[in-house]
Amino acid sequence: MQGRFHFYEGYSMKEVTFPVRVMYELGIKTLFVSNAAGGMNPAFSIGDLMIITDHINFFPEHPLRGKNFPTGPRFPDMHETYDLNLVALADQIAEEKGIKVQHGVYVGVQGPTFETPAEYKMYRLLGGDAVGMSTVPEVIVAHHCGIRTFGVSVITDLGGFDVPVEVSHEEVQGAANKAQPFMTEIMREMIVRSEQVESNAKEKFNTDHPTEGWK
């Protein structure tokens, strides 16, 4: 995909998450998501890559509200929404390539306003490390469909600290553009290695079960 639908643009949650439904029907097994986010963790710097380990959903409408799709249960478990094996693989690749990465919890909010200093502090107290206006709805639907998910936030601005920091859309875009090549390098290598693991597993399965074939 090139970009995404945002809830703040006026789309419904069904429209926001429709691309994920299409991906499921196409047989997609793994979803890579990225976003620009405001950092609330004092250890973060502008331009950092934060591997998402969990999220907090502050959207006013839930993407699974309504009739349950048969792709998953009515009440899906959300304990490992972001695949731990993919997180470990990203960490390994980042270390090999000398790319600095952070880990943290992403807070998904409606937008389109950037957060007030008080809101930044509240989200931090609730356990968030970064906040943004996307990602969570798509990830919830992907998880409901049984699609493995890996997510990265580019920390484009900082908030919630003693000294207020004003932010503009142009500054956010600039920080995201500088960090994007490092994020892309990690994700491309993850895809290559994941395909190799899949290929090796397929070859081993066909050797062990010559009459069944890989499904």
Side-chain angles (χ1 to χ4, degrees):
M1 290 180 59
Q2 292 183 342
R4 54 156 59 90
F5 301 110
H6 292 91
F7 189 67
Y8 64 74
E9 294 177 284
Y11 295 105
S12 69
M13 276 298 178
K14 285 186 178 179
E15 291 171 317
V16 169
T17 58
F18 181 72
V20 179
R21 298 288 184 193
V22 174
M23 291 178 192
Y24 170 79
E25 295 297 334
L26 291 172
I28 299 299
K29 303 297 183 186
T30 305
L31 177 68
F32 288 77
V33 294
S34 64
N35 58 61
M40 303 168 288
N41 189 320
F44 289 0
S45 301
I46 292 177
D48 277 356
L49 298 178
M50 184 192 85
I51 295 174
I52 304 174
T53 55
D54 204 349
H55 70 232
I56 299 173
N57 182 15
F58 262 96
F59 282 90
E61 180 184 336
H62 199 283
L64 298 182
R65 179 177 176 271
K67 183 179 178 180
N68 186 49
F69 282 81
T71 57
R74 170 78 280 188
F75 304 104
D77 179 84
M78 300 295 288
H79 275 88
E80 191 182 328
T81 313
Y82 300 86
D83 190 273
L84 294 179
N85 290 325
L86 293 176
V87 170
L89 178 59
D91 284 338
Q92 178 185 340
I93 293 169
E95 184 177 359
E96 291 173 4
K97 294 182 175 294
I99 299 174
K100 175 188 174 184
V101 293
Q102 306 275 14
H103 293 115
V105 175
Y106 177 84
V107 180
V109 298
Q110 173 178 308
T113 55
F114 290 114
E115 290 67 39
T116 67
E119 287 171 338
Y120 270 122
K121 290 178 180 178
M122 177 188 70
Y123 295 141
R124 178 61 180 161
L125 288 171
L126 291 174
D129 295 287
V131 58
M133 307 169 194
S134 66
T135 301
V136 170
E138 299 102 307
V139 167
I140 290 174
V141 170
H143 191 69
H144 184 255
C145 291
I147 298 173
R148 298 193 309 162
T149 304
F150 173 78
V152 173
S153 292
V154 179
I155 305 303
T156 54
D157 57 286
L158 301 171
F161 307 120
D162 292 334
V163 180
V165 179
E166 293 186 8
V167 60
S168 69
H169 181 61
E170 291 72 24
E171 289 172 327
V172 167
Q173 285 185 315
N177 290 338
K178 288 181 181 179
Q180 184 176 337
F182 300 108
M183 177 185 70
T184 302
E185 187 173 359
I186 292 174
M187 287 188 172
R188 281 180 175 167
E189 185 63 23
M190 289 178 69
I191 292 169
V192 169
R193 297 192 190 185
S194 295
E195 288 177 345
Q196 188 163 12
V197 169
E198 179 81 4
S199 177
N200 292 341
K202 178 178 180 180
E203 183 177 348
K204 184 178 186 304
F205 183 91
N206 289 337
T207 300
D208 296 341
H209 308 83
T211 60
E212 296 181 40
W214 178 262
K215 295 181 178 63

